[in-house]
Amino acid sequence: ISVSDFSFVITMSPWCESRWHCRIASNVFGLKWVMKTAINLRERLLLDLNFQEFLRKNSLFQEFSESDFSTVVDHTTLCKLNTDDILFRQQQKATDFFLLVDGKIKLSLLSIEWTEKIVDIIFPGNTFAEAIILNGLPGFPVNAVALSDSNVLLINAEAYTNILNNSPKTCIRVMATLS
C-alpha cells in the first residue's frame, strides 16, 4: 500500500472524508475493501474523463462552450450493456439520445406480421435517436438491442435541447457541423 493510494482513499472514498473516517472505514470494512474502493474510484474517474473526451469529439458537442459542455456531461450517464440487453423498446418514452462508445447496437422494429425488421446497425462513435428528440417525438419508433457487450452514453435530451434553445449561436454552429 503506497502513501499516494492511501491519500487517494481519504480524498475520494465516500466513507473517507477525513483520516478519522478512513480509520473507521478500514476497521468496519477492512483496509483491503477501502483500497479496492479507492482503486475502483480512481478507475471510474479516469473512465469518466475518457468518456468526456469521446463525447467532446462528437460533432454534436464540438461547438459547445465549456460551460454548456459541462452541463451536458452532468446530464450524461454511462450504460453498460451485455449482448442481447435491451437499451430501449419501441414506443418507450424518449428522454435521452445516445452515443455508442464501443460494441454494436441493432435498431429494429416489429412489423404488423410480428417479424423483426432491422432498420440500422450502430457502430462506435455514432449517435442515435437524436432526430427523435429534436423532432419532439414522444417515443422511440424502434427497439435498440446490444449485438455485443457495449458501452453507451445516454445524453439527457432536455438538457441538450435547452442549450440549443438558449443559445442560437451554438445551435447554428452545431447545424453547420452536421451539414
Side-chain angles (χ1 to χ4, degrees):
I1 299 171
S2 73
V3 173
S4 65
D5 286 338
F6 188 72
S7 64
F8 186 78
V9 171
I10 292 170
T11 58
M12 292 303 294
S13 177
W15 287 95
C16 300
E17 295 175 13
S18 69
R19 289 183 190 276
W20 183 76
H21 286 111
C22 194
R23 277 194 218 111
I24 290 173
S26 65
N27 289 338
V28 173
F29 301 108
L31 188 56
K32 188 174 184 178
W33 176 87
V34 172
M35 294 312 299
K36 183 178 179 192
T37 300
I39 291 167
N40 287 343
L41 286 167
R42 180 182 284 169
E43 288 173 0
R44 192 174 73 208
L45 180 64
L46 292 175
L47 284 175
D48 286 346
L49 294 174
N50 289 334
F51 289 133
Q52 286 180 37
E53 186 177 319
F54 190 80
L55 187 66
R56 184 56 134 168
K57 289 180 181 177
N58 185 278
S59 59
L60 292 175
F61 309 100
Q62 288 175 349
E63 298 300 323
F64 277 31
S65 68
E66 286 304 316
S67 173
D68 289 343
F69 183 71
S70 180
T71 299
V72 168
V73 168
D74 290 344
H75 291 88
T76 298
T77 55
L78 174 66
C79 180
K80 294 181 180 225
L81 300 171
N82 295 318
T83 302
D84 295 325
D85 281 354
I86 297 170
L87 180 60
F88 59 80
R89 293 185 186 277
Q90 198 170 338
Q91 300 309 315
Q92 178 180 327
K93 185 178 179 187
T95 58
D96 301 294
F97 67 97
F98 311 92
L99 174 59
L100 183 60
V101 177
D102 56 48
K104 279 195 282 190
I105 302 289
K106 172 179 67 175
L107 301 180
S108 65
L109 52 88
L110 288 177
S111 70
I112 296 171
E113 300 86 30
W114 292 96
T115 57
E116 180 183 52
K117 303 290 184 189
I118 297 174
V119 176
D120 201 359
I121 304 293
I122 307 297
F123 293 96
N126 291 312
T127 56
F128 55 104
E130 68 276 14
I132 292 148
I133 299 303
L134 295 174
N135 285 319
L137 298 176
F140 296 111
V142 296
N143 299 303
V145 177
L147 291 177
S148 63
D149 292 352
S150 302
N151 286 312
V152 183
L153 294 175
L154 284 65
I155 299 111
N156 180 271
E158 185 178 0
Y160 187 81
T161 55
N162 283 344
I163 291 168
L164 295 180
N165 288 333
N166 293 330
S167 177
K169 286 182 182 180
T170 300
C171 187
I172 289 169
R173 286 194 311 256
V174 168
M175 287 175 22
T177 64
L178 298 176
S179 60

